[in-house]
Amino acid sequence: MAVLQEYKCPCCGDAIAFDSTLQKMKCPFCDTEFEMETLKNYDSELQNEPKEDMHWDSAAGADWLQGEAEGLRSFVCKSCGGERGAEKALRRQEAASQGV
C-alpha cells in the first residue's frame, strides 16, 4: 500500500498538491511549482537537521519589582476570552494625543 506524503510549501508554508496538467507539485496559495524529486530532497535534508533545543527559562520575570504592577489594567474580550494588558497612563497619553 502506498504511503500518502503531505508536503508544505517551503516558500509560504501552505499545503501543496499535485497538479496533473503540469505534472508537478504546486502551491495553490503562492503558485510556486516544484518537481517531486526536489521536494523529496528538501524533505530528507529537513529530516537530517538536528532538532532545535527549545528550552525556556520559566523563572524569568516571575516576580514583579516594586511599583511595576501599579497602573496596569487587564482587559478580557467577551467574545473569545482573549486577555490584553495595558498601562493606565498609556491610555491617557493616547487619548490626549487624539484630543479626547
Side-chain angles (χ1 to χ4, degrees):
M1 185 174 176
V3 176
L4 180 64
Q5 176 70 41
E6 182 182 36
Y7 290 104
K8 299 285 184 184
C9 178
C11 299
C12 72
D14 199 17
I16 55 178
F18 186 74
D19 187 318
S20 60
T21 56
L22 297 172
Q23 292 295 302
K24 293 181 180 181
M25 297 293 283
K26 184 174 180 180
C27 176
F29 186 76
C30 68
D31 286 331
T32 308
E33 300 171 4
F34 302 95
E35 298 287 341
M36 274 303 300
E37 198 60 37
T38 304
L39 287 174
K40 287 179 184 177
N41 291 337
Y42 181 68
D43 188 49
S44 66
E45 285 179 27
L46 289 177
Q47 297 297 326
N48 293 333
E49 283 186 2
K51 300 287 183 192
E52 292 183 25
D53 183 18
M54 302 281 292
H55 180 73
W56 297 90
D57 184 7
S58 60
D63 296 322
W64 290 89
L65 297 176
Q66 184 176 358
E68 274 187 323
E70 294 173 18
L72 290 181
R73 299 293 179 261
S74 179
F75 303 94
V76 178
C77 176
K78 294 178 183 175
S79 175
C80 70
E83 197 169 331
R84 177 80 186 229
E87 292 184 40
K88 186 176 179 181
L90 180 63
R91 304 270 300 152
R92 279 189 293 226
Q93 288 174 352
E94 289 174 353
S97 69
Q98 296 172 2
V100 178

